[in-house]
Structure formats: structure tokens, C-alpha cells
Amino acid sequence: METVQKILVPTDFSDGAGFAMREALDLARSLGASVTLLHAYQLPNFMLPDGSVVLTTADTHAALVQSADKQLREAVDVASAWGVPVSTLTREGPAAEVIARVAEQGQYDLVVMGTHGRTGFRRLLLGSIAEKVVRTCTRPVMTIHYPSHPSPVTHPPLP
Amino acid sequence: MFIDGILVPVDFSTRSETALRYAVDLARVCCARVDVLHVAPEPTTSEVAAELALDRPLGLPPPQVLAGARARMARLVAATPHEGVALETDIEIGQTSETIARIAAERCHDLIVMVPGETTQEMMSKAPCPLLTCRGV
């Protein structure tokens, strides 16, 4: 391993992902690495019992992407407080597969992600996504619980 | 995140070497210490029976198991270049993932480094600190 220079941070904009992002930024700052925030989303297509498929309209798609972009911009605003070079990516597809693919194709040195999303079902979902990424991704993956063990480091105040 | 102590659980497979090498490289960058931990399984029922018959202390794996683990630990550390990195080894007895989590909590490790395997999923839920999994490059 050379030094860690490129860190990929998948986010679903949950508290757990935000916590992992702050840990990743902290790590990036101490290692002199850059951070790429990745948001993977899936279009809510669904199939009716008769087999017909209801596709997402262009409007819904645009709204999804717009909402993701807005939240990513907010995350970048938070990240800028760390003085770490931050870029963003938005990709459509199943989260775990997208994360593993982006990490490999982009030759990221490390993926940092939370194991818990929001609450209830989301918690299960993100946990299973992290678990799947660990299982399938060929790049190193760091998983971080939230908030069972807060970092002793004091983070810069949020804007 | 301040990485001061890194815990590397090993089972002496080639995967263990990969994880240890990664941890040592990371420790060098972060000026962290590395603790290498092997968890020997608790004695099986038949081994406990043998302990009783041989009047040995209960709850320990057979002496040859521990001696073997110590020898393999020494070989693993010798095979991993770690100049400039404080490295300590430890052999504990117990259930693998629980023991790893307990040691990480007791010794305030900031990171656990391991190669994905059977215990990874358990570790993801039990780890008291961030868990880094890496595969050989």
C-alpha cells in the first residue's frame, strides 16, 4: 500500500452516513487525501400484478437527481470546513453494486461508509449495503458504526 | 478520526499476512501502534475431558495448540517488515468475534484491520471501533 490518496464516501444523506463522512474527512485531512462523495439512487420503477411495468417519468427522475444534487452540495459545504479537496458523484443503480464498481474503476484507495442509516428499515438497508460492499468490493473498505463510539476528536463546528 | 492503535486479528492464513501488511503500512503513515491478535478457540468437550483426565488447568486449549500458535505468530511477525512501527502480539482464548471486540474495547483500538472472511459480518456488528477490510492487491 502506498499512502491513501483517494477516499470514496458513499452517502444516503442519513445521520449514519454523515457521521462516516465526517470521520472520512478527518482521516483524509490527516493523510492528505481527497474525498469523493458518492450518492447512488434507484429509480422507483415497479411492476403491477399483471406484469406491466410502471416506469419513472422524466419529471420524477429529474426531481430525484435535483434533490440528490442539492443534498450533495450541502454535504460539500459541510466538508469544506475540513479543508479537504472534495468532489461529488451521482450514479443510478443498486447502491452496493454502484459503490463497488465506482471504487474499483476509480481506483480509490479506501471506501469509508456507515453501517447504519436512518431508523427502522433504512437502518437494515444501509447495514446490508455496507455488508455487501465489504463482501464484494476489491478495494479496502472501512465501515463505521453510528453513534455507538463517537470520535474523541472534536470536529469543526457545522455551518 | 485519530488512528493511534490498530488491531489486526489473525488466523495465520495468507489472508492474515495481507491484513497485517496493510495495517503496518497504514500505521507507518499514521504513527500508530499495531497489536496482532490471535484468538485460539476454547477447548472442545473432548479436550476438556482430556484436561480432566490429565489433571491440567481447565479452560485452556491443549498446550501444543498454544505453543503452535505462538510459533506461527512469531513466524508471521518475522515475515512482515515492520521497521519503525511498534508491534505487539497477543494470543487470547475464546469465541473469535467476541474476543476481538473485547480486546479492541479494552485496549482502546481506533481501527480493526482484517481480510473479509467468515467473521467479518459478525465483526461489523460487534466492533467497538471502525473496521477496515482489505483484500490482497
Side-chain angles (χ1 to χ4, degrees):
Chain A
M1 180 191 77
E2 296 81 50
T3 50
V4 175
Q5 296 189 325
K6 289 174 72 182
I7 301 180
L8 182 67
V9 182
T11 180
D12 65 352
F13 309 117
S14 64
D15 289 348
F19 181 76
M21 180 186 83
R22 286 189 280 276
E23 292 285 304
L25 288 164
D26 231 12
L27 186 66
R29 189 170 51 184
S30 60
L31 297 176
S34 68
V35 164
T36 301
L37 298 173
L38 167 66
H39 178 65
Y41 66 97
Q42 271 189 290
L43 297 178
N45 297 332
F46 58 94
M47 192 183 273
L48 296 174
D50 67 0
S52 58
V53 176
V54 179
L55 294 174
T56 313
T57 63
D59 282 355
T60 314
H61 191 174
L64 266 173
V65 173
Q66 214 175 358
S67 144
D69 283 348
K70 182 171 170 284
Q71 296 193 79
L72 277 173
R73 272 200 305 276
E74 286 167 8
V76 169
D77 287 345
V78 172
S80 62
W82 268 259
V84 169
V86 180
S87 55
T88 62
L89 278 178
T90 309
R91 291 281 182 277
E92 199 253 313
E97 284 155 46
V98 168
I99 294 164
R101 194 171 60 234
V102 169
E104 284 156 25
Q105 289 177 351
Q107 294 281 302
Y108 285 89
D109 303 304
L110 186 62
V111 179
V112 177
M113 63 188 300
T115 56
H116 288 173
R118 295 196 176 86
T119 48
F121 195 50
R122 287 295 291 265
R123 179 183 296 259
L124 282 173
L125 269 178
L126 192 67
S128 73
I129 289 169
E131 193 268 325
K132 198 168 177 188
V133 172
V134 163
R135 211 155 22 82
T136 57
C137 186
T138 58
R139 314 298 298 172
V141 181
M142 185 188 289
T143 53
I144 300 178
H145 280 311
Y146 168 81
S148 49
H149 37 76
S151 164
V153 176
T154 320
H155 296 305
L158 300 182
Chain B
M1 180 192 303
F2 186 64
I3 301 178
D4 189 38
I6 303 177
L7 180 64
V8 188
V10 296
D11 61 2
F12 306 123
S13 61
T14 48
R15 306 143 62 83
S16 302
E17 292 171 28
T18 304
L20 181 55
R21 219 165 290 139
Y22 187 94
V24 165
D25 285 347
L26 188 62
R28 202 169 276 133
V29 178
C30 303
C31 298
R33 67 179 206 280
V34 173
D35 287 340
V36 191
L37 170 71
H38 175 69
V39 181
E42 282 162 327
T44 59
T45 315
S46 62
E47 283 165 352
V48 170
E51 282 168 6
L52 286 171
L54 295 169
D55 203 20
R56 282 207 316 258
L58 280 175
L60 293 176
Q64 64 270 24
V65 171
L66 284 181
R70 280 193 204 98
R72 294 165 89 185
M73 181 68 96
R75 275 204 296 277
L76 173 65
V77 170
T80 312
H82 59 274
E83 299 78 35
V85 174
L87 192 149
E88 284 185 33
T89 64
D90 184 21
I91 294 172
E92 296 278 334
I93 297 151
Q95 198 277 336
T96 311
S97 57
E98 278 165 20
T99 307
I100 296 169
R102 178 175 60 79
I103 294 290
E106 280 176 10
R107 305 198 192 151
C108 304
H109 288 110
D110 307 295
L111 184 66
I112 298 173
V113 174
M114 64 193 295
V115 172
E118 292 163 19
T119 49
T120 310
Q121 205 182 337
E122 276 177 63
M123 280 320 301
M124 279 181 69
S125 55
K126 288 182 189 166
C129 61
L131 174 73
L132 193 156
T133 56
C134 60
R135 287 180 163 80
V137 184

